[in-house]
Amino acid sequence: MRAIIQRVNKSSVSVDNQIINKIDKGLNILIAFEEKDTEEVIEKFVKKITKLRIFGERFSKNIIDIKGEILLIPNFTIAAITKKGTKPNFQNSMKSQQAKIFYEKMLEEFNKYIPTKRGVFGADMKVEILNDGPVTLIIEL
């Protein structure tokens, strides 16, 4: 599993020029699932992110402390292998049908802790991000 996590002042996702979800202060998470991932990794990831102290003075607070929101965007391209050549290789990306199941489970798990809004799995999305800081982390589990 790979993710790009951005602390944001606001973020939104649009499909067909219509905003389908938006958040204010919180996290924009672009998530990709890989073939090697298991459902146990979802729970581990969610706990890590909800406890991650990247808010407040000197990174003293987590997203729950600030009563923030999450916008969770599926993005298989993050799992790309780019070591050889100039065309990304997606052989490690989880197959779409299984990745969609994992995405839904991750949304459900995040919502146990913090309001989490979604993108549209498999859609051509436009994501607008107003990064705060900027604070951007890349996480692999």
Side-chain angles (χ1 to χ4, degrees):
M1 179 180 308
R2 292 184 187 176
I4 296 174
I5 296 154
Q6 295 182 299
R7 188 178 75 183
V8 298
N9 284 325
K10 64 181 179 177
S11 184
S12 65
V13 59
S14 301
V15 176
D16 296 328
N17 294 318
Q18 296 284 355
I19 294 176
I20 59 162
N21 264 316
K22 62 183 178 177
I23 64 168
D24 290 316
K25 192 84 172 157
L27 297 174
N28 186 95
I29 302 175
L30 304 174
I31 187 75
F33 300 101
E34 298 175 294
E35 285 294 327
K36 66 178 173 50
D37 292 335
T38 63
E39 289 186 27
E40 291 77 30
V41 174
I42 292 172
E43 188 175 323
K44 183 179 178 182
F45 178 82
V46 168
K47 285 182 180 178
K48 180 177 188 73
I49 299 309
T50 56
K51 293 178 181 178
L52 195 62
R53 293 182 302 160
I54 59 172
F55 294 94
E57 196 171 307
R58 305 186 111 172
F59 287 179
S60 60
K61 296 181 180 182
N62 62 41
I63 189 150
I64 295 170
D65 295 333
I66 67 149
K67 296 178 177 40
E69 299 176 282
I70 292 174
L71 182 57
L72 185 66
I73 305 294
N75 187 335
F76 80 96
T77 61
I78 296 169
I81 299 168
T82 57
K83 291 184 180 186
K84 293 182 181 179
T86 57
K87 184 178 179 184
N89 177 326
F90 300 105
Q91 71 185 30
N92 289 343
S93 296
M94 186 177 279
K95 303 294 181 251
S96 182
Q97 186 175 11
Q98 186 66 28
K100 185 173 184 177
I101 291 168
F102 273 50
Y103 178 69
E104 295 297 330
K105 287 183 184 201
M106 183 171 278
L107 280 165
E108 184 180 311
E109 192 66 26
F110 265 124
N111 272 305
K112 291 178 183 177
Y113 300 95
I114 193 84
T116 303
K117 296 183 179 172
R118 62 182 306 127
V120 177
F121 195 92
D124 180 15
M125 296 175 281
K126 306 300 182 224
V127 181
E128 190 171 335
I129 300 166
L130 179 57
N131 198 314
D132 178 22
V135 174
T136 301
L137 304 172
I138 299 170
I139 296 180
E140 291 187 62
L141 292 180

